[in-house]
């Protein structure tokens, strides 16, 4: 079935679907907007949750997904889940598309990591701020390519009122911080104004106690 609209986020949804880990049983799409990606995930994953802090987006996502029985939408802020609507350590796959770029990056990545089950996968598709000459050139190329890629999809626009904000960190900063925070993550810049960050949470994270013991032995 063809997509109801096209934008850079929708363009990279097939890439995300290709990265679903084998045996994935529970997935969470954080900042799910109208739930378009959640509906695609639901065709491959037994249980899928979409979370968004916008009541309007959750209402829209629910209305568009009534026919699906393995999907739930919750109005929740992943940075401040005051009502405990998201289950920490329970998802095999946590996805955030165009969501973390306006938050404190460290807090955002740590918040997403906490939601993952050990061995689970985090996929972030995000954007950065242009700062270097390379950034501006890549941005120009993206604009041209985007016009060409967009053409077959006509002028179909995304849902009215989908909240969007500008990035606060540059592309380079994003790559550096991601690598510092998530050991072993893969970060790469994509052609159309997005980067891809993939991280597999280790099965065994060193406990604070063993880290302290390790420190005192040195
Ligand atoms: C630019 S839209 C992207 C929506 C969707 N991921 C997509 O690819 O089309 C960003 C979405 O993230 C949501 N969002 C932003 N910060 C959030 C937070 N802290 N917790 C939950 N949702 C958030 C916004 O309400 C908005 O629906």
């Amino acid at each position: 079935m063809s997509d109801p609209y096209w934008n850079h986020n929708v363009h990279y949804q097939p890439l995300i679907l290709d990265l679903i880990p084998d045996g994935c049983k529970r997935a969470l799409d954080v900042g799910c907007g109208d739930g378009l990606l959640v509906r695609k995930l639901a065709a491959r994953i037994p249980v899928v949750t979409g979370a968004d802090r916008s009541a309007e987006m959750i209402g829209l996502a629910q209305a568009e997904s009534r026919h699906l029985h393995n999907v739930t939408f919750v109005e929740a802020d992943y940075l401040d889940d005051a009502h405990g609507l998201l289950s920490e350590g329970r998802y095999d796959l946590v996805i955030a598309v165009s969501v973390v770029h306006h938050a404190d990056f460290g807090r955002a990545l740590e918040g997403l990591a906490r939601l993952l089950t050990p061995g689970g996968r985090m996929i972030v598709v995000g954007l950065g701020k242009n700062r270097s000459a390379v950034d501006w050139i890549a941005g120009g190329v993206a604009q041209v390519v985007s016009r060409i890629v967009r053409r077959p999809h006509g002028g179909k626009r995304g849902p009215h009122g989908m909240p969007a904000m500008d990035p606060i960190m540059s592309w380079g900063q994003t790559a550096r911080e991601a690598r510092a925070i998530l050991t072993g993550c893969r970060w790469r810049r994509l052609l159309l104004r997005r980067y891809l960050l993939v991280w597999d949470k280790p099965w065994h994270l060193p406990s604070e106690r063993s880290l302290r013991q390790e420190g005192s032995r040195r």
Side-chain angles (χ1 to χ4, degrees), residues 15-187:
L15 180 65
I16 294 172
L17 297 176
D18 282 347
L19 287 164
I20 296 174
D22 291 342
C24 178
K25 291 193 179 64
R26 280 168 66 108
L28 171 69
D29 183 19
V30 168
C32 63
D34 65 338
L36 181 60
L37 177 60
V38 167
R39 288 186 285 284
K40 293 181 185 179
L41 293 166
R44 299 166 183 230
I45 301 171
V47 181
V48 186
T49 304
D52 203 292
R53 67 182 176 185
S54 156
E56 196 188 338
M57 283 302 118
I58 288 300
L60 186 58
Q62 281 167 334
E64 299 276 332
S65 312
R66 274 199 207 106
H67 58 294
L68 296 172
H69 302 294
N70 59 337
V71 153
T72 312
F73 290 99
V74 287
E75 186 188 328
D77 187 325
Y78 77 103
L79 293 171
D80 180 17
D81 183 22
H83 303 292
L85 296 170
L86 305 173
S87 320
E88 286 198 5
R90 293 291 303 281
Y91 305 96
D92 306 312
L93 176 62
V94 172
I95 300 170
V97 180
S98 288
V99 177
V100 301
H101 58 277
H102 49 79
D104 177 288
F105 197 51
R107 220 181 127 212
L109 295 186
E110 280 156 16
L112 297 175
R114 261 199 304 277
L115 294 165
L116 278 174
T117 187
R121 173 166 290 176
M122 179 195 301
I123 303 176
V124 176
V125 171
L127 56 158
K129 201 173 172 164
N130 288 345
R131 193 156 290 158
S132 69
V134 172
D135 289 342
W136 286 104
I137 292 166
V141 172
Q143 242 178 8
V144 176
V145 177
S146 184
R147 266 191 222 126
I148 298 164
V149 178
R150 176 188 300 269
R151 222 172 270 158
H153 304 274
K156 289 180 281 180
R157 300 232 163 250
H160 176 71
M162 178 114 85
M165 288 165 87
D166 288 332
I168 51 177
M169 265 170 48
S170 73
W171 300 91
Q173 270 178 308
T174 309
R176 279 191 298 278
E177 283 206 23
R179 289 182 181 125
I181 296 164
L182 303 174
T183 308
C185 74
R186 292 167 276 156
W187 186 102

